[in-house]
């Protein structure tokens, strides 16, 4: 049986505990043995290499070097990394090494929550988007700064909301991407502002696909 670690916490607005349990249920349905933890101390205790998959769900916050370094090394050694929204794409803002591993960083959500936007699947033959068609989300629309090394599987178009960025014209920003970090696979999905959005069938399927793809 494969083993997964989900660590959750940080800003409570993203409902980290509720979301962590939804993600745990997905993994349990796929026969993972799942450990949930609400402390970053877990990252410095024991051997993270024993996990086939690690799921960060910790928005903002700070992390100690002795907690971050084992995580980065475990992924480089082959442990998969997969997560969503700010729980993985807006964690530990001061830690550029973490952002380098993840492949991007949240910088804005123009219009805040309640924006209606389209998610466009651009790589329908990939395992991470298999069985998913374009769909609409009413939530935060994440504008990401993105590593050019990532492979993009789904996008959304900006601008929708008003703002000074609008004069730059239409751009596509990744919603789902994958990359490698050493021997480890990295998967990210920018959807999932609150538990209600994570429970959308499309988001559940994207996370299921991503977990299975990224796992060792």
């Amino acid at each position: 049986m494969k083993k997964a670690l989900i660590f959750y916490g940080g800003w409570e607005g993203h409902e980290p505990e509720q979301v962590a349990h939804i993600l745990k249920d997905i993994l349990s349905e796929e026969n993972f043995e799942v450990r949930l933890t609400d402390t970053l101390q877990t990252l410095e205790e024991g051997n993270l290499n024993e996990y086939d998959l690690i799921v960060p769900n910790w928005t903002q916050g700070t992390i100690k070097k002795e907690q971050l370094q084992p995580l980065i090394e475990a992924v480089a050694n082959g442990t998969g990394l997969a997560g969503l929204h700010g729980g993985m794409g807006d964690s530990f803002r001061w830690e550029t090494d973490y952002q380098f591993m993840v492949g991007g960083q949240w910088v804005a959500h123009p219009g805040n929550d309640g924006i209606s936007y389209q998610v466009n699947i651009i790589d329908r033959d990939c395992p991470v988007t298999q069985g998913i068609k374009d769909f609409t989300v009413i939530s935060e629309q994440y504008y990401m700064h993105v590593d050019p090394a990532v492979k993009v599987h789904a996008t959304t178009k900006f601008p929708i909301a008003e703002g000074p960025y609008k004069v730059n014209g239409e751009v596509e920003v990744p919603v789902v991407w994958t990359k490698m970090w050493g021997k480890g696979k990295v998967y990210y999905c920018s959807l999932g502002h609150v538990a209600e959005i994570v429970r959308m069938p499309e988001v559940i399927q994207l996370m299921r696909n991503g977990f299975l793809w990224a796992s060792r």
Side-chain angles (χ1 to χ4, degrees), residues 89-128:
D90 189 24
S91 312
F92 322 127
R93 292 180 181 176
W94 292 102
E95 302 298 340
T96 54
D97 287 344
Y98 174 82
Q99 296 165 20
F100 193 10
M101 175 177 64
V102 168
Q105 169 66 30
W106 170 85
V107 292
H109 39 62
N112 299 312
D113 198 8
I115 295 295
S116 179
Y117 64 96
Q118 188 85 353
V119 175
N120 303 301
I121 307 299
I122 63 170
D123 188 3
R124 298 182 186 276
D125 295 327
C126 179
V128 301

Side-chain angles (χ1 to χ4, degrees), residues 158-170:
F158 287 82
I160 293 177
E162 293 294 326
Y165 71 110
K166 195 171 182 179
V167 296
N168 295 303
E170 186 175 271

Side-chain angles (χ1 to χ4, degrees), residues 169-188:
E170 186 175 271
V171 296
E172 290 189 339
V173 173
V175 172
V176 175
W177 72 65
T178 57
K179 66 174 289 188
M180 298 297 297
W181 183 259
K183 296 178 181 178
K185 296 178 180 179
V186 177
Y187 171 87
Y188 177 72

